[in-house]
Amino acid sequence: KSGKAVYFNNPMWPGEAHSIKVEKILYKEKSEYQEVLVFESSMYGNVLVLDGIVQLTERDECAYQEMIAHLPLCSIHSPKNVLVVGGGDGGVLREVARHSSVEHIDICEIDKMVIDVSRKFFPQLAVGFEDSRVHLHVGDAVDFLKSAPEGKYDAIIVDSSDPVGPAQELVEKPFFDTIARALRPGGVLCNMAESMWLHTHLIQDMISICRETFKGSVRYAWASVPTYPSGMIGFILCATEGPPVDFVNPINPIEKLEGANEHKRELQFYNSEMHSAAFALPAFLKREVSLL
Ligand code: AAT
């Protein structure tokens, strides 16, 4: 009884719930920040759930991790310094590591339990931590970015949870200010940005904050991810003032990157066609968030 009430009352999608059949609960603990649950499903492999919200499944994680990493990294020439915010499962690191131009990858994840659980139950994501370019920082990304050196990063990828728990501040203006400061001129941000069906207002707010903060281009892209609310997820892409960035037409196409597709596992979802197509938006969204 109470379980149902919890899932249908999530303020991010009131009155809605998506169900995935549980074969076996593999792990359930309260960390300092959230409830961490891993279960084996019948159709989607192992599933990671934080505070009752699906963060990833083995079956469809490829769509989210590949898009959030390659949309920004294929939009600039030879990215070298990259920061991942959140992403404690390691999946985004695995994707960033395909780019041989990258020399240094910082990751700032708040919850060590997510990292430990991923190492145990999601080895094909946690493999991302094994790359020698990766430097792990366990802590709040808000603090990490406040003290990050100015202009250090070519790209920042915000792979964070929904803004109801520890990720609350990650959708607010002061956080975006620290990101813009930490990026080099012409550097890029790719930020997880919810569902256009459920969160038009949140997307609108994030886009107006980003337009104020980043003086280069600001665009919205999306991809199909069946186990996320409404079956899709969006991304906001922003560039700081500097060499102009055309997000829609990748200047650093993955197909030309040496070894990117042989790197331990083949790409499952991302290619240059998916990249450009991701920026095509439905009429209602263009109108409501006044996107070009
Ligand atoms: N890779 C896909 C999964 C995620 S995980 C998001 C991560 O962000 C979690 O591990 C969470 O602990 C971390 N996080 C949350 N707040 C902070 C913070 N303030 N600083 C650093 N890390 C943080 C994303 C799934 C998207 C789900 C969409 N519905």
Side-chain angles (χ1 to χ4, degrees):
K1 172 180 99 201
S2 58
K4 275 188 197 148
V6 169
Y7 294 118
F8 283 99
N9 283 334
N10 189 306
M12 296 291 294
W13 36 87
E16 270 187 61
H18 175 207
S19 51
I20 300 174
K21 188 171 178 217
V22 177
E23 289 297 334
K24 196 168 152 203
I25 303 272
L26 300 173
Y27 186 91
K28 192 177 178 196
E29 286 291 336
K30 272 212 152 41
S31 78
E32 212 180 311
Y33 302 97
Q34 52 208 345
E35 187 200 76
V36 180
L37 168 73
V38 181
F39 69 87
E40 185 193 319
S41 70
S42 39
M43 298 300 289
Y44 286 91
N46 288 353
V47 181
L48 173 68
V49 183
L50 299 177
D51 282 344
I53 302 177
V54 171
Q55 304 294 307
L56 64 93
T57 81
E58 285 183 304
R59 167 104 183 270
D60 65 3
E61 57 90 6
C62 58
Y64 176 80
Q65 330 274 7
E66 290 180 15
M67 292 296 272
I68 203 172
H70 304 307
L71 286 173
L73 296 181
C74 293
S75 295
I76 52 177
H77 283 300
S78 51
K80 290 188 177 57
N81 288 309
V82 179
L83 168 65
V84 177
V85 167
D89 48 79
V92 173
L93 297 175
R94 178 193 71 205
E95 294 307 318
V96 173
R98 288 184 199 271
H99 293 256
S100 51
S101 66
V102 169
E103 293 167 1
H104 186 102
I105 313 170
D106 282 320
I107 173 166
C108 180
E109 160 64 53
I110 202 167
D111 196 342
K112 185 170 181 297
M113 192 183 279
V114 174
I115 302 166
D116 295 342
V117 153
S118 183
R119 287 199 164 119
K120 187 147 184 222
F121 299 106
F122 300 93
Q124 69 291 10
L125 286 100
V127 66
F129 285 101
E130 275 155 40
D131 193 286
S132 60
R133 294 166 289 176
V134 171
H135 302 261
L136 170 62
H137 310 265
V138 176
D140 192 332
V142 171
D143 302 329
F144 184 86
L145 272 151
K146 273 185 200 153
S147 50
E150 204 175 322
K152 173 169 181 183
Y153 298 104
D154 301 288
I156 298 180
I157 298 168
V158 179
D159 174 21
S160 74
S161 29
D162 300 300
V164 277
Q168 181 83 53
E169 287 178 63
L170 307 189
V171 294
E172 292 166 6
K173 169 86 171 141
F175 182 67
F176 287 105
D177 286 334
T178 58
I179 288 189
R181 221 187 104 263
L183 283 171
R184 63 147 166 95
V188 292
L189 161 69
C190 183
N191 204 118
M192 188 282 281
E194 306 295 349
S195 156
M196 63 175 87
W197 293 111
L198 297 166
H199 309 117
T200 327
H201 291 294
L202 179 59
I203 295 171
Q204 168 74 283
D205 290 350
M206 285 173 81
I207 287 179
S208 35
I209 291 174
C210 287
R211 284 213 176 108
E212 250 176 71
T213 316
F214 298 89
K215 307 293 181 221
S217 49
V218 174
R219 302 291 302 234
Y220 191 82
W222 61 281
S224 149
V225 182
T227 58
Y228 282 161
S230 87
M232 57 148 62
I233 192 95
F235 310 97
I236 293 180
L237 286 123
C238 308
T240 54
E241 197 168 19
V245 178
D246 170 14
F247 284 115
V248 183
N249 302 298
I251 52 161
N252 184 28
I254 201 100
E255 292 80 6
K256 295 205 179 131
L257 294 184
E258 213 178 311
N261 214 10
E262 289 101 57
H263 184 88
K264 293 183 184 114
R265 64 180 237 159
E266 274 188 324
L267 284 161
Q268 307 291 311
F269 192 88
Y270 180 89
N271 57 39
S272 289
E273 269 179 81
M274 293 299 280
H275 181 123
S276 298
F279 291 89
L281 303 180
F284 85 87
L285 189 67
K286 285 194 184 196
R287 241 182 347 257
E288 284 177 42
V289 304
S290 49
L291 279 163
L292 292 173

